[in-house]
């Protein structure tokens, strides 16, 4: 938060954040926040019960204001209370907005606002922020319960759990599991905890099973080979049946091992482990860790943004409202001072364009409408959550879903299946069938030899046929030579014809080029004529401009002459004997800040002091009304309007001296007890009279 310093060098917060408008305009076209993808995904991968975003401000809503703030509206005397609106401008309030009520001419309204649940250091509000570029070192608040000025029970704990609880859960997930994830006394339930080490343990179980099959596959292969040797000690049909059983088991183990050795996942990522299942599970853990890392990056970007602390967003909304009041309310009314013999009254007069009804919040004099300000701040804050958290979370969620669908296929497509499901006796029968098939194979080889002899004879016949075909091919080549010669003659004639056509095309192209050059010359002549016409038009415009300049100078001389005559005619306007009794004081700063010399007059006798002013030598002065202009940019600029009226020192003792034509000075009281000061001055005036 930017600060400036006062006249004594003490830090003072800027009345308006210069970036308030930009921060609010960012979400002008954004829709209303709907589903909370961020909270859903964090709860899904960590088990942390992220609070419902729609309820976290229920414990920060004041019946005397709205969400995030409490307030009241005080009526202040216009002649005693004219101050600037803004952030931390008055001790005891966090924000003040002064505005006029069109129905109360002598009052100015003060909306005094206090942020519920804010953190202050002295008189400065400390908005929440991570304070670090490393998410592990970020500073977070756990919230607290408190009772506010109106005895309402408040709590920032639900808000803090939503803002910072997901960060704690995601960091715990990266450490191996969320069993111990806890933030602000809210932790992950036992059955909801996510243990990343379970991926490793499950993968190791599959690896142990695969190791069993690999180790015993070697033993079975050795038994199978020993029973199949010629010098085997056990032979016969029973031995063959047993050997078939060993082979069947060994082949099934081979099939299991082949399945275990399949690749997991897609692309270049293969995972770690000795089976397709353990590799898939290691990739699953990696995808979860990558997702947690990306979500923490999104959280840190949000925490460093202007939309992390909802109290800071509330300030943006109030800045926008205060500047609207400056433009459409305060600057659209004139302040006048009316002075009679015994008192002075300061009032405001609304001018064209004056309004106290905000287009979004309604009539500002109705305190119930101010709850909409808090609703607007919560809406903008929620849109910030959508932009900084939910959008990245949606991308992470989509990628994570796709990865786990692929890993699911690694399990579904790699179910271990036996290579053979037949019995040992069936295997033996199959072997017998193979022996018979071997006999058939030998017969086929004899048939193949006979076929090869026939094939040799066919080859010789093909050679003779080839010789005859070569002779025919030679004759065909000669015929092609003759045909080629004839084609060359035709091609030569075609080339000659193309050359004649090209010559004719060149002649046409030259004619077109000549026509184009002629058209170019005509266009150049036309362009020269246009340039000449523009020069003439410019010259004529310069002559007109010179003539207008002479007329303006003549009008200026006439205006100066008229001003001089008016000044001469008003030369005696400040004469004490002048009958004019009303003076335009422009702004409040010029009302009584005139330094007139003391005029000493003979008071004479009291005459018709308590009469109607019609005695000899007595005149009824009547009320004196002065126009004080308007407050201008009360809530947005450097206007400092005095709080009351005070006479020059040499005129304080005689109320009868406040006559038309006298100058008055408008000054600000040096202490808060302005009514006491003014009353004392009036008693002094009465005593002097």
């Amino acid at each position: 938060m930017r600060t400036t310093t006062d006249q004594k060098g003490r830090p003072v917060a800027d009345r308006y954040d210069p970036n308030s408008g930009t921060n609010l305009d960012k979400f002008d076209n954004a829709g209303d926040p709907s589903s909370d993808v961020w909270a859903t995904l964090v709860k899904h991968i960590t088990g942390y019960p992220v609070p419902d975003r729609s309820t976290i401000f229920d414990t920060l809503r004041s019946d005397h204001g709205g969400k995030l703030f409490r307030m009241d509206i005080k009526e202040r005397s216009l002649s005693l209370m004219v101050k600037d609106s803004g952030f931390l401008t008055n001790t005891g309030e966090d924000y003040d907005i002064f505005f006029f009520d069109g129905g109360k001419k002598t009052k100015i309204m003060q909306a005094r606002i206090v942020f519920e649940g804010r953190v202050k250091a002295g008189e400065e509000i400390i908005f929440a922020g991570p304070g670090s570029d490393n998410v592990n070192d970020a500073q977070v608040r756990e919230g607290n319960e408190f009772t506010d000025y109106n005895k309402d029970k408040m709590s920032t704990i639900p808000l803090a759990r939503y803002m910072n609880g997901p960060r704690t859960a995601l960091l715990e997930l990266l450490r191996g599991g969320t069993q111990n994830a806890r933030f602000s006394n809210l932790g992950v339930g036992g059955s909801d905890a996510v243990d990343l080490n379970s991926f490793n343990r499950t993968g190791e179980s599959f690896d142990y099973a695969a190791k069993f099959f690999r180790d015993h596959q070697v033993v079975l292969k050795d038994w199978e080979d020993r029973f199949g040797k010629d010098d085997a000690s056990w032979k016969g049909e029973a031995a063959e049946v047993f050997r078939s059983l060993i082979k069947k088991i060994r082949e099934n183990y081979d099939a299991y091992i082949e399945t275990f050795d399949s690749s997991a996942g897609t692309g270049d990522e293969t995972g770690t482990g000795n089976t397709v299942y353990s590799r898939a599970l290691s990739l699953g853990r990696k995808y979860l860790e990558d997702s947690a890392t990306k979500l923490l990056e999104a959280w840190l970007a949000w925490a460093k943004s202007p939309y992390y602390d909802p109290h800071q967003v509330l300030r943006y909304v109030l800045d926008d409202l205060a500047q609207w009041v400056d433009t459409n309310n305060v600057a659209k009314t004139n302040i006048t001072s009316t002075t009679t013999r015994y008192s002075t009254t300061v009032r405001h007069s609304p001018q064209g364009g004056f309004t106290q009804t905000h287009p979004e919040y309604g009539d500002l004099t109705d305190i119930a409408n101010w709850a909409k300000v808090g609703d607007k701040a919560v809406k903008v804050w929620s849109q910030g959550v959508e932009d900084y958290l939910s959008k990245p979370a949606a991308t992470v969620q989509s990628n994570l879903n796709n990865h786990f669908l692929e890993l699911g296929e690694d399990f579904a497509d790699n179910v271990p299946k036996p290579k053979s499901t037949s019995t040992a006796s069936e295997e033996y029968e199959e072997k017998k069938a193979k022996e018979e098939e071997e006999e058939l194979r030998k017969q086929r080889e004899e048939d193949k030899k006979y076929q090869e002899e026939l094939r040799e004879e066919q080859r010789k016949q093909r050679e003779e046929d080839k010789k005859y075909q070569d002779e025919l091919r030679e004759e065909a080549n000669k015929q092609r030579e003759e045909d080629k010669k004839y084609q060359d003659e035709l091609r030569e004639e075609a080339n000659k014809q193309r050359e004649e056509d090209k010559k004719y095309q060149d002649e046409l192209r030259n004619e077109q080029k000549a026509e184009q050059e002629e058209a170019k010359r005509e266009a150049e002549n036309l362009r020269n004529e246009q340039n000449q016409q523009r020069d003439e038009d410019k010259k004529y415009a310069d002559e007109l401009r010179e003539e207008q300049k002479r007329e303006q100078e003549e009008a200026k001389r006439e205006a100066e002459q008229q001003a001089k005559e008016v000044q001469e005619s008003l030369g005696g306007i400040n004469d004490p004997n002048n009958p004019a009794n009303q003076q335009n004081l422009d702004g409040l700063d010029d009302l009584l800040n005139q330094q007139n010399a003391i005029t000493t007059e003979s008071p004479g006798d009291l005459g018709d002091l308590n009469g109607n002013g019609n005695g000899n030598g007595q005149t009824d002065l009547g009320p004196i009304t002065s126009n004080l202009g308007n407050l201008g940019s009360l809530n947005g600029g450097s206007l400092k309007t005095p709080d009351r009226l005070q006479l020059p020192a040499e005129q304080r003792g005689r109320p009868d001296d406040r006559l038309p034509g006298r100058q008055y000075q408008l000054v600000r009281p040096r202490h808060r007890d302005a009514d006491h000061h003014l009353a004392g001055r009036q008693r002094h005036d009465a005593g002097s009279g």
Side-chain angles (χ1 to χ4, degrees), residues 292-305:
T293 300
K294 288 183 173 62
L295 292 178
L296 284 172
E297 291 173 354
W299 181 91
L300 184 60
W302 175 58
K304 295 167 64 176
S305 76

Side-chain angles (χ1 to χ4, degrees), residues 169-402:
L170 291 169
L171 288 175
E172 287 295 325
L173 181 65
L174 291 178
R175 296 185 183 106
T178 61
Q179 301 90 330
N180 299 321
R182 176 171 293 275
F183 183 82
S184 191
N185 293 325
L186 180 64
V188 178
S191 60
D192 295 329
V194 176
D195 183 6
L196 291 182
N197 294 323
S198 64
F199 286 82
N200 301 64
R201 291 193 297 270
T202 305
E204 290 170 356
S205 299
F206 283 108
D207 288 347
Y208 290 147
K211 184 176 184 300
F212 169 83
F213 289 116
R214 289 191 182 95
D215 293 345
H216 288 77
Q217 183 263 356
V218 176
V219 176
L220 293 173
K221 177 63 176 172
D222 180 62
W223 289 1
E224 180 184 352
D225 292 342
R226 283 193 292 171
F227 281 112
K229 292 180 180 180
D230 294 337
D231 58 352
S233 59
W234 186 21
K235 291 187 177 182
E237 184 173 340
E240 288 297 323
V241 172
F242 181 75
R243 183 173 181 272
S244 297
L245 175 61
I246 296 299
K247 181 180 180 182
K248 177 181 181 317
I249 296 174
R250 194 262 307 165
E251 289 178 345
N252 288 342
Y253 280 17
D254 288 344
Y256 298 154
I257 294 171
E258 182 179 357
T259 301
F260 293 154
D261 290 340
S262 299
S263 298
T266 59
D268 297 333
E269 297 179 316
T270 58
T272 59
N274 297 322
T275 63
V276 63
Y277 314 113
S278 60
R279 289 190 287 271
L281 289 169
S282 70
L283 286 177
R285 173 170 182 163
K286 179 180 180 299
Y287 294 147
L288 277 177
E289 291 174 339
D290 291 345
S291 298
T293 300
K294 288 183 173 62
L295 292 178
L296 284 172
E297 291 173 354
W299 181 91
L300 184 60
W302 175 58
K304 295 167 64 176
S305 76
Y307 307 97
Y308 176 59
D309 190 338
H311 293 101
Q312 191 168 11
V313 177
L314 175 62
R315 182 196 172 168
Y316 302 152
V317 176
L318 290 173
D319 282 351
D320 183 68
L321 173 58
Q323 293 176 78
W324 179 91
V325 169
D326 285 349
T327 302
N328 298 279
N329 182 280
V330 175
K332 299 296 184 180
T333 186
N334 280 346
I335 308 300
T336 60
S337 172
T338 301
T339 302
T340 64
R341 172 178 289 184
Y342 301 107
S343 65
T344 297
T345 302
V346 180
R347 65 180 65 241
H348 74 91
S349 300
Q351 304 299 306
F354 173 88
T355 180
Q356 64 197 45
T357 302
H358 190 274
E360 186 173 357
Y361 309 131
D363 188 351
L364 298 181
T365 62
D366 185 355
I367 195 171
N369 288 332
W370 287 76
K372 301 174 185 177
V373 174
D375 294 339
K376 175 67 174 294
V378 170
K379 178 181 177 182
V380 174
W381 179 83
S382 298
Q383 288 170 333
V385 172
E386 287 289 313
D387 190 64
Y388 282 90
L389 297 181
S390 289
K391 287 183 180 180
T395 302
V396 171
Q397 184 181 50
S398 176
N399 294 336
L400 190 62
N401 288 341
N402 292 335

Side-chain angles (χ1 to χ4, degrees), residues 27-99:
F27 300 117
D28 276 351
N29 299 322
D32 291 336
S34 53
S35 60
D36 195 345
V37 179
W38 162 261
T40 301
L41 181 58
V42 170
K43 182 177 181 180
H44 180 67
I45 68 175
T46 67
Y48 180 77
V50 183
D52 185 353
R53 191 171 68 196
S54 63
T55 64
I56 58 178
F57 293 100
D58 292 349
T59 57
L60 280 175
R61 184 188 182 282
S62 172
D63 293 335
H64 302 85
K67 294 176 181 178
L68 295 171
F69 72 96
R70 68 177 185 270
M71 67 171 295
D72 61 13
I73 298 178
K74 295 294 185 181
E75 293 183 4
R76 303 298 188 187
S77 172
L78 184 56
S79 62
L80 298 178
M81 187 67 181
V82 177
K83 294 186 177 180
D84 292 334
S85 297
F87 182 65
L88 297 178
T89 57
N90 289 308
T91 302
E93 292 96 44
D94 297 331
Y95 210 102
D96 292 272
I97 295 180
F98 290 86
F99 60 95

